[in-house]
Amino acid sequence: MTDDFAFTIKTLRFDEDYTPADSTRLTTNFANLARGESRQENLRGALRMIESRFNALATWDNAEGDRYGVELDIVSVDLAIGADGPAFPAIEMLKTTILDRRTGARHDGIVGNNFSSYVRDYDFSVRIPEHNKGRAGFSVPEDFGDLHGQLFRSFLASDAYAAEFRKLPVICLSVSHNKVYRRTANRHPVLGAEYLPNETSLTEQYFGKMGMKVRYFLPEGSAAPLAFYHVGDLLNDYTNLELIGTIATMETFQRIYRPEIYNANAAAGETFAPSLENPDYSLTRIVYDREERSRLAIEQGQFARDHLIEPHRAGLAEWSARQAA
């Protein structure tokens, strides 16, 4: 199967006129906002929040706070298995482009925002529940995340990725609501104060199989730290503007999706225990359907099982083992 194993990249502008494609994971944050009666108001509000947050962090030579614009493109990655088989929607994420209105220059941002994957949905929403059905305690399969990790590593090493992107991705996620984070003395001029968790998480282990490490930072003016998953040197491989683009984008989506943590009325202190039960937070004016997100994650996991995992189980297992070796 590996002779006919290839990635294809497509891009679509994410703006106020965006409509989700049929193959888009509908649990993806940007797709969730683009449905319903408030879709265009949602999109305008989210994009406005991203640009405002970007300018609030890029303060140098920006006295009016309006120097920069942020453009977002949806990057969809299809996986082709077999010469005649249909392409499977493997990965979807956002890429930022920064417009300097003063000079007219356009700067590439970082790809990886809002990373999503049907295979990850399968692992977390289908495979784990099936594995733990009837068990007394929680556990994960021994090879949990192996296939997804090898698919992601293969994508980063592909000609398709090299032709489209100059730098490796940074995937920014929320902190875990069942961990405790403590502030360290380390501080970055853009990322802010670094935090360390009291223990590792299943998400950290899962992304570790993708070849990614994680560091937690609280940017200036943020309510809670963000988790930055990266492959190389997070603090030195990217420019300030690139990092600000990632922060502005993902903090905006987290403020909409998890306001109890990221739109809290009190910022994280020296010790921080995020909670989805926190009553002291403000709502944005953007409509987000969290119940639908949870339901669709199961449906999308089942889609991955039926259209990728089961039809190609033996070949994928053989390929993944060979990649690991």
Side-chain angles (χ1 to χ4, degrees):
M1 60 169 277
T2 54
D3 292 339
D4 298 317
F5 185 70
F7 296 98
T8 303
I9 297 175
K10 298 176 293 186
T11 61
L12 177 67
R13 178 57 50 89
F14 176 66
D15 56 22
E16 65 181 51
D17 297 317
Y18 164 68
T19 299
D22 291 340
S23 61
T24 291
R25 282 176 72 253
L26 296 181
T27 56
T28 305
N29 287 330
F30 50 79
N32 189 296
L33 299 182
R35 297 195 303 283
E37 295 180 359
S38 303
R39 60 173 305 279
Q40 197 159 59
E41 184 179 347
N42 282 344
L43 295 171
R44 286 173 182 164
L47 292 168
R48 187 165 52 245
M49 287 171 64
I50 290 170
E51 191 164 299
S52 176
R53 183 62 173 134
F54 188 101
N55 282 286
L57 288 169
T59 56
W60 60 96
D61 292 337
N62 189 12
E64 302 300 321
D66 60 359
R67 177 171 177 172
Y68 298 102
V70 181
E71 296 174 350
L72 297 171
D73 287 298
I74 301 166
V75 177
S76 300
V77 184
D78 287 343
L79 170 66
I81 301 179
D84 300 322
F88 181 82
I91 296 169
E92 199 161 54
M93 51 191 169
L94 291 176
K95 178 187 177 296
T96 57
T97 300
I98 299 107
L99 171 64
D100 187 334
R101 297 191 176 105
R102 178 178 300 180
T103 66
R106 295 167 62 83
H107 304 279
D108 275 344
I110 303 173
V111 67
N113 292 304
N114 265 312
F115 173 84
S116 63
S117 160
Y118 273 100
V119 176
R120 186 172 65 161
D121 282 340
Y122 165 75
D123 281 338
F124 280 92
S125 298
V126 176
R127 193 176 184 201
I128 281 185
E130 289 179 351
H131 175 77
N132 284 282
K133 188 175 182 179
R135 293 175 181 258
F138 177 84
S139 66
V140 298
E142 184 177 347
D143 63 346
F144 183 71
D146 287 357
L147 173 61
H148 185 268
Q150 294 300 339
L151 286 172
F152 184 75
R153 289 171 184 257
S154 181
F155 171 57
L156 295 191
S158 69
D159 292 339
Y161 188 92
E164 194 75 27
F165 307 112
R166 297 183 301 107
K167 295 186 178 182
L168 292 168
V170 174
I171 299 174
C172 186
L173 303 178
S174 65
V175 289
S176 175
H177 57 85
N178 57 6
K179 304 288 185 292
V180 177
Y181 300 82
R182 288 184 170 80
R183 189 167 59 212
T184 72
N186 192 36
R187 191 171 189 87
H188 184 270
V190 167
L191 295 171
E194 184 165 20
Y195 280 70
L196 293 177
N198 63 327
E199 58 182 338
T200 188
S201 68
L202 183 57
T203 299
E204 289 181 15
Q205 297 167 23
Y206 193 80
F207 276 78
K209 293 191 175 184
M210 297 161 60
M212 307 193 86
K213 302 165 287 186
V214 64
R215 297 180 74 169
Y216 300 89
F217 285 92
L218 176 71
E220 184 71 28
S222 297
L226 290 161
F228 295 88
Y229 287 86
H230 57 284
V231 177
D233 186 340
L234 176 66
L235 273 59
N236 294 298
D237 288 349
Y238 306 94
T239 69
N240 287 343
L241 292 182
E242 288 170 348
L243 291 172
I244 290 173
T246 289
I247 295 167
T249 301
M250 288 314 301
E251 186 180 289
T252 293
F253 281 113
Q254 295 297 352
R255 286 173 62 194
I256 295 167
Y257 171 52
R258 285 191 166 172
E260 300 91 340
I261 296 174
Y262 287 95
N263 215 35
N265 294 326
E270 186 171 339
T271 300
F272 180 58
S275 172
L276 293 174
E277 305 302 319
N278 172 33
D280 186 24
Y281 66 93
S282 300
L283 289 172
T284 67
R285 299 177 64 182
I286 297 173
V287 179
Y288 192 99
D289 192 335
R290 292 204 287 192
E291 181 179 346
E292 180 190 54
R293 175 188 171 106
S294 299
R295 175 178 55 81
L296 287 174
I298 299 173
E299 294 179 9
Q300 290 164 180
Q302 293 168 341
F303 176 87
R305 177 196 61 198
D306 297 341
H307 292 83
L308 178 67
I309 304 299
E310 292 298 342
H312 303 285
R313 181 176 293 278
L316 286 170
E318 177 187 348
W319 174 83
S320 181
R322 188 161 57 247
Q323 292 291 107

